[in-house]
Amino acid sequence: MKKTLLFALTFGALAAYPAAAQTRRAVMDYQLWANLQGEMALKNGDYLLLELHGEKTPAYNKYAGTDRFLGFDQRAVSLSYEHFWSDKWSGGGGLQYQPSSDLKVLTPELRLRHRSNIGPLTFGQRLSAYRAFPLVKERYYTPVAQNYASLRVDLEKVFPVGANGFALRPRLSYEAVTNVRFQKAATDADQRTIQYTSLRAEVGCRVGNHFDFTPWFAYTTSYYFTLPQYSAISGTPTSDPGRLNLVTPVIGLDARFTLFAGKTVFERRQLPTQH
């Protein structure tokens, strides 16, 4: 299973990064992401997680309309559950709701996780499948539900600091996402093999049994095919179609509050804040 997931990730990364001569790359304005999490640790080792997520692009603030809450351009709320079958394997699911003025999206998800040791490091793999259901029609078209699959791998290590439960958790992760289309219509646009990737570096800070926070930085990339452009006067082509990679730097902060079932702290496997 581990070799299969690693092969899939490697293949996807190569497919998403073609020859430089055929690809244009543009760097977008940076974004700020915030995640506030409430976790309920259950006595059998499982957990329930409630997450509030917000995104904003500071460069767009002067153009912001009325669809904003606490300064965020995009926001979402999600609830998830994960069950541990062993020290290495776990799985679960979740439901996310993303509101906006024009398009509200409901996204159920199923996921499978494997974690093991590589020397002093912990190596994690997370396979996810989800479907995005649009709940509101756009003004000029009717959006349809889309299927997605993602694979994320990560390396981390926990460093206890002192005797008061404080610990540092440096971690590096890479995720690739693809749109799964079981039947492609003739009118459907062409897509790259991988539509989105994220390379993230972070340092988790465990303050105690009930609170930890994680500052992080990531480069996210969206992969597109561009259409040819034509002159409005002569009708001759002004640019050729090709591949376009849009790179967005992201600065983020996760904050997690943990409660224990029965109110008594017990030993458990606690995942990183990037669930």
Side-chain angles (χ1 to χ4, degrees):
M1 180 69 177
K2 183 185 298 184
K3 292 182 178 179
T4 302
L5 296 183
L6 284 174
F7 174 79
L9 178 68
T10 303
F11 176 80
L14 291 175
Y17 194 78
Q22 301 175 348
T23 303
R24 292 185 293 120
R25 181 177 182 271
V27 179
M28 309 300 288
D29 293 305
Y30 77 95
Q31 295 181 352
L32 299 176
W33 290 15
N35 292 276
L36 180 62
Q37 303 173 356
E39 182 183 45
M40 173 59 73
L42 306 178
K43 290 186 175 181
N44 63 352
D46 300 352
Y47 71 83
L48 282 168
L49 183 74
L50 176 65
E51 181 176 355
L52 303 178
H53 174 78
E55 302 176 12
K56 67 179 298 183
T57 305
Y60 296 167
N61 279 358
K62 60 182 178 180
Y63 306 111
T66 58
D67 182 36
R68 295 167 63 81
F69 179 73
L70 297 179
F72 293 115
D73 308 312
Q74 300 290 335
R75 54 197 184 276
V77 57
S78 62
L79 180 65
S80 61
Y81 169 81
E82 189 150 344
H83 172 70
F84 289 83
W85 295 296
S86 66
D87 290 339
K88 296 183 177 181
W89 290 96
S90 64
L95 184 66
Q96 182 188 83
Y97 175 64
Q98 181 178 343
S100 71
S101 60
D102 295 325
L103 184 63
K104 295 176 173 58
V105 181
L106 190 66
T107 306
E109 176 193 27
L110 293 175
R111 57 177 172 264
L112 177 67
R113 194 188 311 268
H114 179 268
R115 290 166 62 81
S116 60
N117 294 328
I118 299 181
L121 303 177
T122 299
F123 175 64
Q125 300 173 92
R126 180 186 185 274
L127 185 63
S128 170
Y130 53 97
R131 183 173 175 85
F133 292 94
L135 303 180
V136 179
K137 293 183 178 181
E138 287 280 5
R139 182 178 302 176
Y140 301 108
Y141 73 100
T142 301
V144 297
Q146 298 285 335
N147 302 304
Y148 296 91
S150 73
L151 176 64
R152 189 176 76 213
V153 296
D154 59 80
L155 282 172
E156 67 169 283
K157 182 172 176 58
V158 178
F159 294 93
V161 180
N164 297 320
F166 187 85
L168 297 177
R169 190 175 194 167
R171 178 172 170 271
L172 183 67
S173 69
Y174 180 80
E175 182 177 13
V177 180
T178 185
N179 181 210
V180 181
R181 297 190 292 187
F182 297 104
Q183 188 173 13
K184 183 178 181 294
T187 56
D188 289 345
D190 291 334
Q191 292 184 342
R192 307 275 289 274
T193 303
I194 300 296
Q195 283 83 52
Y196 177 85
T197 59
S198 175
L199 177 62
R200 166 168 160 162
E202 65 183 52
V203 179
C205 302
R206 184 183 300 167
V207 179
N209 293 313
H210 296 282
F211 177 70
D212 57 303
F213 65 95
T214 305
W216 55 271
F217 177 79
Y219 274 110
T220 69
T221 306
S222 298
Y223 302 90
Y224 300 97
F225 280 121
T226 59
L227 299 175
Q229 303 295 315
Y230 298 91
S231 170
I233 299 175
S234 63
T236 57
T238 58
S239 66
D240 296 326
R243 297 178 174 89
L244 174 64
N245 298 351
L246 296 182
V247 179
T248 303
V250 181
I251 301 172
L253 178 65
D254 303 341
R256 176 171 58 191
F257 297 87
T258 301
L259 301 176
F260 290 81
K263 300 182 180 181
T264 301
V265 176
F266 47 82
E267 291 293 327
R268 59 186 293 265
R269 313 172 194 88
Q270 189 174 48
L271 297 173
T273 55
Q274 187 190 25
H275 283 265

